[in-house]
Amino acid sequence: MKQTTITKRTHGLKGEITIPGDKSISHRSVMFGAIANGITEVTGFLKGADCLSTIGCFRSLGIDIREESGKILIHGKGLHGLSAPSGTLDTGNSGTTTRLISGILAGQPFTSVLSGDASLNTRPMGRIMEPLSSMGAHITSVGENNCAPLKIEPGTLHGIQYHSKVASAQVKSAILLAGLYADGETSVTEPVLSRNHTELMLNGFGAAVTARTETDGRATASITPCEDLYGQKITVPGDISSAAYFIAAGLLVPGSEILIRNVGINPTRAGILKVCEDMGADISYLNRESAGGEPTADLLVKYSPLKGTEVSGSIIPTLIDEIPMIAVLAAFAGGKTVIKDAAELKVKETNRIDTVTENLKAMGAKITPTDDGMIIEGTGSLNGAQINSYLDHRIAMAFSIAGLAAEGETVIGNSQCVDVSYPTFFETIHSL
Ligand code: S3P
């Protein structure tokens, strides 16, 4: 159902919130649980539309997945236990579902076809088709445009050493998952380390994954095929990409003090915290803990006057999904912010260089798009405006927060798209 949301300038957001589970970790818990032996029990699973697409796909592949007492139980059938789906696997809006599942399907003895929504079916899949094909997979783009729908037919997989041009956890994970079905070791080298949830969690399931980072920043993950994976109990931390909106709300709205509970702060994801600190943010870390190799903390965020900064280089993959929110922070800050080395923004749910620029301009910001990012001259204030989310959940959320600190009223079109990663986003705003 189409929805429009209006946010208005507010004052003094105060309270304590708990952020829904991490999207990347939730996807992986279902995927790895499905190909493990025995039951995987997931606490804190994110029931956003993207992760429900992953559940839907694995149910179509014969896996029993149910919810009991708030936990998701995946009855894994082992590495070779998936069965042929009767129809096309629907991956919805989810790049993670599409790319990671392709790595698993490349190793199966049956044919499958994957397809998603209009946005997903325009996103680049050549980046996984190329390495998977060189492993021996038979993966083709049905429309011959390197996009989904993808057809994956049985193939015999060989271990490869792959050097990826992009730092992408989705590419890395697809190759490592195919590596489970290969005849020898598979390794992926990326220019800088992307999120490492696959490496951490696959090891927890009993796979042999090693990781190393060179002094120049290049990072390599390797996997040796194993006989079996074993079902696990997984506790999913709160998603820092979702926490980002409330970190920003706390920093931008005068008089605010927000305690955000149980946020995943894995260093391959936590770049937003470093950038906020560089901009002058007052954020304290409380109750640090760790589960399954994933560190967490409660974050206490207080209203802070912000200054411009540069966001570039190896930090980019650790905050790539947070750039729309960082751009809004930069517009409210004093001085110039330069975001570069972030050309990957162009191939997200929308081209986020374009969608951020268009919407920030509508709010009166001084922003210049570049080929790999944007330059923002912070003016300290924005005006309410009509925002076009283009059905991109992160645009809808970043600009809803902008509306809480902007003059007048901000109207977010198609705001229901927040369901992709944060179905209770607007309720959480109201709770503050
Ligand atoms: C994700 C990896 C990132 C990120 C996406 C989730 C993952 O994409 O933008 O939202 O779970 O592996 P890339 O790997 O394409 O950078």
Side-chain angles (χ1 to χ4, degrees):
M1 204 182 35
K2 215 171 145 170
Q3 179 186 298
T4 298
T5 301
I6 298 175
T7 57
K8 290 185 191 151
R9 177 174 253 181
T10 178
H11 184 84
L13 296 173
K14 289 220 159 79
E16 205 179 297
I17 59 173
T18 303
I19 296 290
D22 186 276
K23 179 157 80 72
S24 295
I25 296 176
S26 296
H27 279 298
R28 286 160 172 81
S29 66
V30 170
M31 295 188 183
F32 305 171
I35 56 170
N37 299 333
I39 297 178
T40 288
E41 189 183 291
V42 189
T43 306
F45 183 84
L46 169 67
K47 286 198 276 175
D50 270 11
C51 298
L52 296 179
S53 294
T54 292
I55 288 189
C57 288
F58 280 91
R59 282 189 176 141
S60 303
L61 291 162
I63 301 297
D64 177 0
I65 304 174
R66 48 182 89 170
E67 185 173 354
E68 272 172 33
S69 322
K71 293 181 182 169
I72 301 293
L73 301 185
I74 303 131
H75 293 254
K77 290 197 169 170
L79 281 167
H80 303 284
L82 299 177
S83 44
S86 55
T88 298
L89 296 169
D90 180 4
T91 60
N93 190 243
S94 177
T96 309
T97 310
T98 311
R99 296 198 178 105
L100 270 62
I101 208 174
S102 295
I104 295 175
L105 294 174
Q108 305 305 319
F110 52 79
T111 297
S112 31
V113 178
L114 300 168
S115 184
D117 68 11
S119 152
L120 188 278
N121 286 356
T122 60
R123 294 179 65 187
M125 294 298 152
R127 53 179 57 199
I128 56 156
M129 292 169 64
E130 194 235 318
L132 292 178
S133 301
S134 68
M135 292 178 80
H138 295 149
I139 175 165
T140 48
S141 159
V142 174
E144 296 180 5
N145 58 355
N146 283 336
C147 294
L150 298 176
K151 185 173 185 187
I152 304 176
E153 293 165 286
T156 306
L157 301 186
H158 309 291
I160 56 165
Q161 292 185 327
Y162 188 68
H163 288 261
S164 175
K165 284 201 260 334
V166 286
S168 161
Q170 294 181 357
V171 171
K172 171 173 65 179
S173 303
I175 299 169
L176 293 175
L177 287 166
L180 283 169
Y181 296 93
D183 58 6
E185 191 191 65
T186 295
S187 70
V188 190
T189 301
E190 45 185 354
V192 288
L193 181 63
S194 64
R195 65 192 67 192
N196 63 357
H197 307 301
T198 294
E199 296 90 305
L200 294 173
M201 200 191 286
L202 267 183
N203 273 334
F205 274 82
V209 184
T210 56
R212 64 168 202 276
T213 303
E214 313 297 336
T215 44
D216 64 3
R218 272 179 310 145
T220 301
S222 307
I223 189 162
T224 339
C226 59
E227 294 284 307
D228 290 298
L229 300 178
Y230 301 95
Q232 298 296 308
K233 284 195 165 66
I234 293 174
T235 303
V236 182
D239 195 326
I240 190 164
S241 299
S242 300
Y245 305 106
F246 292 96
I247 295 171
L251 296 176
L252 291 178
V253 174
S256 296
E257 186 168 325
I258 308 178
L259 181 63
I260 312 175
R261 291 245 181 245
N262 186 35
V263 181
I265 53 164
N266 177 323
T268 65
R269 293 288 300 285
I272 173 106
L273 296 173
K274 161 89 173 50
V275 168
C276 288
E277 280 151 20
D278 289 348
M279 295 179 88
D282 181 347
I283 303 176
S284 328
Y285 296 59
L286 312 169
N287 303 320
R288 285 176 187 267
E289 277 177 48
S290 178
E294 296 283 353
T296 59
D298 297 342
L299 303 176
L300 180 64
V301 182
K302 294 184 186 160
Y303 168 74
S304 313
L306 300 177
K307 57 180 192 295
T309 187
E310 179 175 315
V311 188
S312 61
S314 62
I315 201 170
I316 293 292
T318 74
L319 49 67
I320 189 73
D321 292 341
E322 289 67 76
I323 290 180
M325 193 68 261
I326 291 172
V328 169
L329 288 173
F332 278 106
K336 181 161 141 180
T337 293
V338 177
I339 300 173
K340 57 183 190 187
D341 306 321
E344 279 293 296
L345 288 172
K346 295 181 192 165
V347 292
K348 297 298 177 188
E349 286 81 335
T350 56
N351 176 334
R352 289 186 180 152
I353 297 182
D354 291 350
T355 48
V356 166
T357 303
E358 177 189 321
N359 286 309
L360 267 184
K361 275 195 173 153
M363 295 187 84
K366 289 191 183 153
I367 173 166
T368 311
T370 63
D371 202 39
D372 65 349
M374 55 199 81
I375 300 168
I376 298 158
E377 292 287 348
T379 51
S381 64
L382 291 177
N383 301 317
Q386 174 82 41
I387 299 300
N388 193 339
S389 68
Y390 291 99
L391 293 174
D392 182 337
H393 55 133
R394 303 217 182 273
I395 298 296
M397 290 189 277
F399 284 88
S400 300
I401 299 296
L404 298 178
E407 202 77 61
E409 236 178 48
T410 297
V411 182
I412 318 283
N414 281 315
S415 56
Q416 75 284 354
C417 64
V418 305
D419 283 354
V420 160
S421 63
Y422 200 160
T424 53
F425 174 73
F426 292 111
E427 279 98 307
T428 305
I429 295 189
H430 286 299
S431 79
L432 291 166

